[in-house]
Amino acid sequence: MALLLPTILALRRDPRLLYLPPYLSILCVLVGIVWLFLLPLDDYSRRTYISENALLPGQVHTYFSGSEQNIFNAYRHEVVALAEQPQEAISAKLEEILKSSGLKVATQKYKYRAGGNEYGGENVYAVLHAPRGDATEAIVLVAAWKNMEDQLNQSGVALALTLARYFKRWSLWSKDIIFLITPDSKAGPQAWVEAYHDGHSPPDVASLPLKSGALEGAIVVDNPKDHRFEKIHISYDGLNGQLPNLDLFNTAVSVSSGQHGIPAVLQRMWKHDDAYEERLRTIFRSMANQGLGHATGPHSSFIPYHVDAITLSTVGEGWQDDMAFGRVVESLFRSLNNLMEHFHQSFFLYLLMQTNRFVSIGTYLPSAMLVSASFSIMALALWIASGRAPKSNLTQSSKEGSFQKKKIEMEVVKSGGVTAIIPKQELSIQERHLLFPVISILTLHFLGVIPLYIFNNIAQKNFTSALNLFTAVNAVLPLLLSGLSTRLMAPTTQQRLLFKCFSLLLLGMFLATLATVNFSLSFFVGLLSSPLSLVGPLGIPSQSKPSTSSAFSSRTVKKGIENIVLQITSPPVVCFAVCWTTGVSVEHVLMEAAFGWKIWGLWTQVIVWCVWWPAWLAGAVGACPEI
């Protein structure tokens, strides 16, 4: 040990240690990606199970059939006849039908504005008071007049009206049941659930004249078809990457597939053979929905209010009829009626790869954490490099222009009874000038408010041209900021290192925190930002040698490659690339984002414009040549 201590003391200040962090950063990103690709394997996933024993899914006999078929057909005929009627006529007819079933009925008008458009309508809902309850708990059955594809939900609305009449005849309910029919699948459910929890903004969103108890769950029925179906698709993704309790999803699968023999599918994977590729594709689709944070159905509006909700949609053409779909909903409500407390036993953070297999947060979280750790590692290395005095072993003679070695001063260091001789320069610590880097980084992050405001407040017709203009400005903005800072402040090498250090430190901190609430968004942003660790100053020491034309040329080529990579991974270019790959228009994507910001309360845009874009801009400024 006595012989090792001098070596350790010398190694602690060895400049060669600074060569290691870039490789560690790359390793963390690669391991994080490989970790994600291992998740579909059986060794890293688990079979689903129901934790809440009180649910007893599929343990009751359902009676929705027979004579209810004629009532359902009559209601569907009424819905189709009202398809072209104004909103007032539709609401009046629905209110009449629900009142004829012996229910208390109320309406709610709402009006939202986003992207220069107005979204308004009138919700109609009825409350069935539980014969065996005390009005402290309620379950919601939702049927939107128009589904997410803007199709008339003729069979879904008819089924909700039929079930309202059917449930009224039963005396077994211990929870109130609310039947909600909204004009659309986006604004209507959001207005109703906001007003139910007194989070609305009158007079644009009216208050609810009729309420019940705490909402324990919500089931949405979506069936625009007028023929038999093959499978039931279960949508479960909520706003901002939130998810319902896994027990609710498992109960729906158990009731549909187990009790009634109707196959259940998820994430639009119509034919899932449970192979590795299919599992991986399902995970990526789930991550895409959670990362975007948008609504995948009317159920998404309920989840931020701690109301577990799912949407059941019919798909395909088969031999299952509407009565079978009604029995699935009846059995689900019977299970929810058994709940003695709110969903809490099972997982709220998970990734599903099949209807009967999932990955919990403890298994998949390390992949995002490794990606975010790559930025922290580089930030720490840059901090260390910024505190080291520059090398000055070589000095140039002013007369002869020759280079001669400078005498190295040594210093004796004593520690624990052991003496070591170390170069004095290795023990010196350079004072860090923090003001300019800190103010610059804070300024760049505050600049993110500008695109955040612009893209959430301009009219829909201007979205494409605005993004085109912003992309052009964004391409030259780093060069302008770099030239401006060089002429006004003339930042030193240390300040450039600290500038990048603070940028990566904030990025790693934000992404690590975000991964615990929205793993998918954190992983995707971290992956797209990974080049930022390797561009610009790296803090790697180099010998002070005279400049040559070849060295200048290599630096120029390196800067050019760095800037090309950064431009490709910039937020606006990524937006264009995703739209082109998926075949979705830029205007539609930006309209959905503005709608989400104004109505759903999405914070995906905050992450993009106030976290990702400032970090990208800081990296691009650092990668620019010094002017």
Side-chain angles (χ1 to χ4, degrees), residues 430 433-438 440 478 480-500 537 621-622 624-627:
Q430 189 178 15
H433 302 280
L434 305 178
L435 183 61
F436 174 73
V438 169
S440 300
L480 295 177
L481 292 178
S482 177
L484 185 64
S485 64
T486 301
R487 281 179 165 79
L488 296 180
M489 300 298 298
T492 62
T493 301
Q494 183 202 65
Q495 289 175 327
R496 291 180 179 274
L497 291 174
L498 289 172
F499 177 77
K500 182 179 178 181
V621 170
C624 288
E626 299 181 16
I627 301 176

Side-chain angles (χ1 to χ4, degrees), residues 50 232 338 376 399 554 605:
I50 294 177
I232 291 180
N338 294 334
S376 301
K399 293 183 179 180
S554 63
Q605 296 96 310

Side-chain angles (χ1 to χ4, degrees), residues 336-525:
L336 293 175
N337 189 59
N338 294 334
L339 277 176
M340 293 181 289
E341 52 187 336
H342 201 77
F343 279 108
H344 68 282
Q345 292 277 6
S346 193
F347 295 91
F348 285 95
L349 298 168
Y350 51 86
L351 288 175
L352 284 164
M353 61 185 69
Q354 174 59 300
T355 53
N356 59 359
R357 203 156 195 92
F358 78 105
V359 181
S360 64
I361 183 174
T363 305
Y364 66 73
L365 185 62
S367 58
M369 287 299 184
L370 284 168
V371 174
S372 62
S374 66
F375 303 109
S376 301
I377 291 173
M378 282 303 300
L380 181 61
L382 291 167
W383 176 262
I384 295 174
S386 66
R388 291 193 170 182
K391 290 276 186 181
S392 58
N393 289 343
L394 295 176
T395 182
Q396 187 176 13
S397 173
S398 57
K399 293 183 179 180
E400 301 175 0
S402 60
F403 287 82
Q404 48 186 315
K405 196 111 177 179
K406 209 178 183 184
K407 185 179 180 181
I408 300 177
E409 299 182 12
M410 309 297 288
E411 185 170 330
V412 178
V413 178
K414 295 183 179 181
S415 178
V418 178
T419 303
I421 302 176
I422 300 175
K424 188 175 181 179
Q425 185 180 15
E426 299 293 340
L427 298 176
S428 62
I429 298 177
Q430 189 178 15
E431 181 183 1
R432 295 181 175 92
H433 302 280
L434 305 178
L435 183 61
F436 174 73
V438 169
I439 291 178
S440 300
I441 291 298
L442 292 178
T443 302
L444 290 184
H445 279 271
F446 279 116
L447 281 179
V449 177
I450 297 176
L452 179 67
Y453 177 83
I454 291 175
F455 289 109
N456 287 325
N457 290 277
I458 62 175
Q460 179 179 358
K461 62 181 180 180
N462 299 324
F463 278 136
T464 304
S465 57
L467 187 61
N468 289 331
L469 178 61
F470 182 80
T471 305
V473 173
N474 192 61
V476 298
L477 185 60
L479 191 62
L480 295 177
L481 292 178
S482 177
L484 185 64
S485 64
T486 301
R487 281 179 165 79
L488 296 180
M489 300 298 298
T492 62
T493 301
Q494 183 202 65
Q495 289 175 327
R496 291 180 179 274
L497 291 174
L498 289 172
F499 177 77
K500 182 179 178 181
C501 168
F502 294 145
S503 175
L504 295 180
L505 185 65
L506 285 177
L507 181 60
M509 179 183 66
F510 282 135
L511 294 182
T513 305
L514 178 64
T516 60
V517 292
N518 193 335
F519 159 82
S520 305
L521 182 58
S522 173
F523 182 83
F524 287 136
V525 172

Side-chain angles (χ1 to χ4, degrees), residues 281-296:
R281 189 176 293 113
T282 305
I283 288 179
F284 281 149
R285 290 190 178 188
S286 177
M287 290 178 62
N289 284 327
Q290 294 176 28
L292 292 173
H294 66 130
T296 56

Side-chain angles (χ1 to χ4, degrees), residues 311-324:
T311 294
L312 304 179
S313 307
T314 59
V315 295
E317 294 186 16
W319 58 277
Q320 304 292 345
D321 62 359
D322 298 293
M323 294 298 101

Side-chain angles (χ1 to χ4, degrees), residues 109 299 332 450 520 555 618:
K109 292 186 177 181
H299 70 280
L332 260 175
I450 297 176
S520 305
R555 286 198 302 270

Side-chain angles (χ1 to χ4, degrees), residues 580-592:
W580 179 80
T581 304
T582 58
V584 181
S585 67
V586 173
E587 180 179 312
H588 175 74
V589 171
L590 294 179
M591 185 63 231
E592 284 291 304

